[in-house]
mmCIF file of all heavy atoms in Angstrom:
data_model
loop_
_atom_site.group_PDB
_atom_site.id
_atom_site.type_symbol
_atom_site.label_atom_id
_atom_site.label_comp_id
_atom_site.label_asym_id
_atom_site.label_seq_id
_atom_site.Cartn_x
_atom_site.Cartn_y
_atom_site.Cartn_z
ATOM 1 N N PRO A 1074 276.182 94.434 182.931
ATOM 2 C CA PRO A 1074 275.138 94.432 183.988
ATOM 3 C C PRO A 1074 275.723 93.886 185.300
ATOM 4 O O PRO A 1074 276.464 92.913 185.299
ATOM 5 C CB PRO A 1074 274.083 93.474 183.399
ATOM 6 C CG PRO A 1074 274.383 93.390 181.959
ATOM 7 C CD PRO A 1074 275.854 93.641 181.783
ATOM 8 N N LEU A 1083 265.580 89.427 185.929
ATOM 9 C CA LEU A 1083 264.949 88.083 186.034
ATOM 10 C C LEU A 1083 263.718 88.092 186.921
ATOM 11 O O LEU A 1083 262.731 87.474 186.617
ATOM 12 C CB LEU A 1083 265.964 87.094 186.567
ATOM 13 C CG LEU A 1083 265.508 85.622 186.583
ATOM 14 C CD1 LEU A 1083 265.025 85.164 185.223
ATOM 15 C CD2 LEU A 1083 266.549 84.717 187.147
ATOM 16 N N MET A 1096 246.624 98.299 207.279
ATOM 17 C CA MET A 1096 246.811 98.224 208.744
ATOM 18 C C MET A 1096 246.468 99.520 209.367
ATOM 19 O O MET A 1096 246.315 100.548 208.696
ATOM 20 C CB MET A 1096 248.230 97.778 209.058
ATOM 21 C CG MET A 1096 249.252 98.786 208.660
ATOM 22 S SD MET A 1096 250.757 98.011 208.094
ATOM 23 C CE MET A 1096 251.209 99.160 206.827
ATOM 24 N N LEU A 1097 246.484 99.521 210.678
ATOM 25 C CA LEU A 1097 246.418 100.778 211.458
ATOM 26 C C LEU A 1097 247.788 101.015 212.045
ATOM 27 O O LEU A 1097 248.451 100.093 212.549
ATOM 28 C CB LEU A 1097 245.399 100.624 212.629
ATOM 29 C CG LEU A 1097 243.956 100.413 212.239
ATOM 30 C CD1 LEU A 1097 243.096 100.213 213.483
ATOM 31 C CD2 LEU A 1097 243.428 101.628 211.454
ATOM 32 N N ASP A 1102 245.806 105.374 212.764
ATOM 33 C CA ASP A 1102 245.609 105.925 211.460
ATOM 34 C C ASP A 1102 245.716 104.841 210.397
ATOM 35 O O ASP A 1102 246.530 103.914 210.561
ATOM 36 C CB ASP A 1102 246.582 107.028 211.095
ATOM 37 C CG ASP A 1102 246.389 108.289 211.952
ATOM 38 O OD1 ASP A 1102 245.254 108.598 212.351
ATOM 39 O OD2 ASP A 1102 247.434 108.993 212.210
ATOM 40 N N GLN A 1150 241.291 96.220 189.698
ATOM 41 C CA GLN A 1150 241.758 97.105 190.765
ATOM 42 C C GLN A 1150 243.167 97.635 190.599
ATOM 43 O O GLN A 1150 243.881 97.931 191.531
ATOM 44 C CB GLN A 1150 241.578 96.402 192.108
ATOM 45 C CG GLN A 1150 240.155 96.208 192.491
ATOM 46 C CD GLN A 1150 239.943 95.583 193.868
ATOM 47 O OE1 GLN A 1150 240.550 94.547 194.136
ATOM 48 N NE2 GLN A 1150 239.110 96.248 194.640
ATOM 49 N N ILE A 1153 243.845 100.900 192.340
ATOM 50 C CA ILE A 1153 244.093 100.757 193.773
ATOM 51 C C ILE A 1153 245.578 100.351 194.025
ATOM 52 O O ILE A 1153 246.204 100.870 194.927
ATOM 53 C CB ILE A 1153 243.123 99.767 194.445
ATOM 54 C CG1 ILE A 1153 241.703 100.412 194.410
ATOM 55 C CG2 ILE A 1153 243.512 99.413 195.836
ATOM 56 C CD1 ILE A 1153 240.613 99.496 194.907
ATOM 57 N N ASN A 1155 248.105 101.093 192.116
ATOM 58 C CA ASN A 1155 248.900 102.306 191.903
ATOM 59 C C ASN A 1155 248.792 103.282 193.080
ATOM 60 O O ASN A 1155 249.767 103.897 193.474
ATOM 61 C CB ASN A 1155 248.457 102.992 190.612
ATOM 62 C CG ASN A 1155 248.812 102.170 189.386
ATOM 63 O OD1 ASN A 1155 249.721 101.378 189.389
ATOM 64 N ND2 ASN A 1155 248.100 102.419 188.316
ATOM 65 N N ALA A 1158 250.976 102.237 195.892
ATOM 66 C CA ALA A 1158 252.382 102.203 195.550
ATOM 67 C C ALA A 1158 253.075 103.540 195.689
ATOM 68 O O ALA A 1158 254.249 103.703 195.599
ATOM 69 C CB ALA A 1158 252.560 101.668 194.124
ATOM 70 N N GLY A 1176 238.330 94.848 209.831
ATOM 71 C CA GLY A 1176 238.567 93.424 210.093
ATOM 72 C C GLY A 1176 239.102 93.254 211.500
ATOM 73 O O GLY A 1176 239.001 94.114 212.364
ATOM 74 N N GLN A 1196 256.376 87.280 213.776
ATOM 75 C CA GLN A 1196 257.845 87.438 213.831
ATOM 76 C C GLN A 1196 258.349 88.359 212.666
ATOM 77 O O GLN A 1196 257.749 88.362 211.611
ATOM 78 C CB GLN A 1196 258.540 86.028 213.616
ATOM 79 C CG GLN A 1196 260.015 86.003 213.749
ATOM 80 C CD GLN A 1196 260.561 84.594 213.640
ATOM 81 O OE1 GLN A 1196 259.831 83.657 213.343
ATOM 82 N NE2 GLN A 1196 261.876 84.490 213.787
ATOM 83 N N ALA A 1200 266.278 90.608 206.380
ATOM 84 C CA ALA A 1200 266.847 89.802 205.264
ATOM 85 C C ALA A 1200 267.361 90.827 204.230
ATOM 86 O O ALA A 1200 266.607 91.291 203.400
ATOM 87 C CB ALA A 1200 265.806 88.890 204.664
#
Side-chain angles (χ1 to χ4, degrees):
L1083 185 56
M1096 65 215 144
L1097 296 176
D1102 291 329
Q1150 293 184 308
I1153 291 175
N1155 290 337
Q1196 185 178 4

